[in-house]
Amino acid sequence: MKKNSSLVALVLIVIVLASVTSVKAEKFEWDYNVNTGASSSREFFVTKDNQFIQLTVEVHQGGPINIFVFNNQTFLDWNDGFPATPDGFVIALFGEANITEGTKITIDGYLGPAFNYTVESISIGEETNTYNGTETLTTTLYNVRTTSNYQEAYYVIVDNRSGDRPAIVSVTAVSTVDAANIVSALGGIILVALVFSKRKKWKKSPF
C-alpha cells in the first residue's frame, strides 16, 4: 500500500513539474524616482519566447503616472519621437494609464521572442559579358543571407509627464505560471487520480 502511494505521489510530482518547466522563475525589482514632466526606464531580458510576466506597481508619491512595457525596437521608436502627451502606452506590449498616488496594481502580459533574428541581403560580385565584339560590364547580385541572433531587450517605462510633482514608484516584475498552466497541471493531477482510483477498484473486483 505504501509502495502504491509513493508511486502515485511521484507521478503527480512529475506531472506538476512537466507543466511548469517551460517557465523559468525570474524576478526584477526597481525603484523609480521620476521628476515632474519626465519618464524613466529599466531594461531587462526574458529567457524564453512568449514568457508570462507579471508586474506589481505601487505609486508611493506623485502621479498620476503611466506604466508600460516596450520591446527594444518599439522603445527606440517611441524614445526618438517622445510624444508630447503620455500616450506611448498605446503602442506598448501592455501597460496601464493614470495610476494615482497610494495605488498598488498588478498587470501582466506575454513577452517574446527572447532572441531577435536579423536576416540581411548583401549584393556582391561582378560578371563581364561580351556581345558582338562589344564588351559590356554587368553586375550580378548575389543574395547572401546572414543571420545573427542576440538577446532581445525589454523596457519598463514609468511616465510622469502628466504628474504635478516628482513620482516615487516601485515595480516588481516576476515570471510566473499563468492560469493556463495551472489549469493544465490540475487537470493532469485529477486525471491521474481518477486512473489510479479505477485501478484500485479493478483489483478489488473478483471478476
Side-chain angles (χ1 to χ4, degrees), residues 11-98:
V11 171
L12 294 180
I13 290 172
V14 170
I15 290 175
V16 172
L17 289 176
S19 301
V20 300
T21 48
S22 61
V23 179
K24 181 179 179 181
E26 294 178 278
K27 184 176 182 180
F28 309 94
E29 295 180 290
W30 304 290
D31 292 318
Y32 292 78
N33 206 326
V34 190
N35 290 330
T36 307
S39 294
S40 182
S41 65
R42 298 290 189 276
E43 181 186 51
F44 71 102
F45 301 89
V46 298
T47 57
K48 64 184 290 292
D49 293 350
N50 203 31
Q51 186 165 338
F52 183 76
I53 299 290
Q54 187 176 76
L55 298 182
T56 300
V57 184
E58 186 169 7
V59 181
H60 302 286
Q61 174 186 302
I65 63 102
N66 302 316
I67 185 163
F68 36 86
V69 179
F70 286 140
N71 61 15
N72 186 56
Q73 188 57 55
T74 307
F75 171 73
L76 293 175
D77 293 342
W78 176 83
N79 201 36
D80 286 342
F82 208 71
T85 56
D87 56 1
F89 68 91
V90 173
I91 58 172
L93 301 177
F94 61 91
E96 191 69 41
N98 298 320

Side-chain angles (χ1 to χ4, degrees), residues 108-126:
D108 54 55
Y110 290 88
L111 298 183
F115 289 85
N116 193 346
Y117 302 89
T118 303
V119 178
E120 297 178 348
S121 179
I122 303 174
S123 299
I124 60 172
E126 291 182 347

Side-chain angles (χ1 to χ4, degrees), residues 54-189:
Q54 187 176 76
L55 298 182
T56 300
V57 184
E58 186 169 7
V59 181
H60 302 286
Q61 174 186 302
I65 63 102
N66 302 316
I67 185 163
F68 36 86
V69 179
F70 286 140
N71 61 15
N72 186 56
Q73 188 57 55
T74 307
F75 171 73
L76 293 175
D77 293 342
W78 176 83
N79 201 36
D80 286 342
F82 208 71
T85 56
D87 56 1
F89 68 91
V90 173
I91 58 172
L93 301 177
F94 61 91
E96 191 69 41
N98 298 320
I99 311 170
T100 57
E101 182 176 320
T103 301
K104 184 177 183 179
I105 67 166
T106 300
I107 56 177
D108 54 55
Y110 290 88
L111 298 183
F115 289 85
N116 193 346
Y117 302 89
T118 303
V119 178
E120 297 178 348
S121 179
I122 303 174
S123 299
I124 60 172
E126 291 182 347
E127 183 179 14
T128 302
N129 295 300
T130 302
Y131 298 99
N132 298 324
T134 303
E135 187 176 274
T136 303
L137 181 65
T138 303
T139 301
T140 303
L141 302 180
Y142 299 92
N143 289 326
V144 179
R145 298 174 66 85
T146 303
T147 303
S148 60
N149 60 2
Y150 57 90
Q151 195 162 13
E152 177 79 348
Y154 291 87
Y155 297 85
V156 177
I157 313 295
V158 171
D159 187 347
N160 190 37
R161 284 177 291 160
S162 59
D164 56 6
R165 60 196 176 105
I168 298 175
V169 182
S170 62
V171 178
T172 301
V174 294
S175 167
T176 184
V177 182
D178 65 334
N181 280 333
I182 292 174
V183 170
S184 175
L186 289 176
I189 291 172

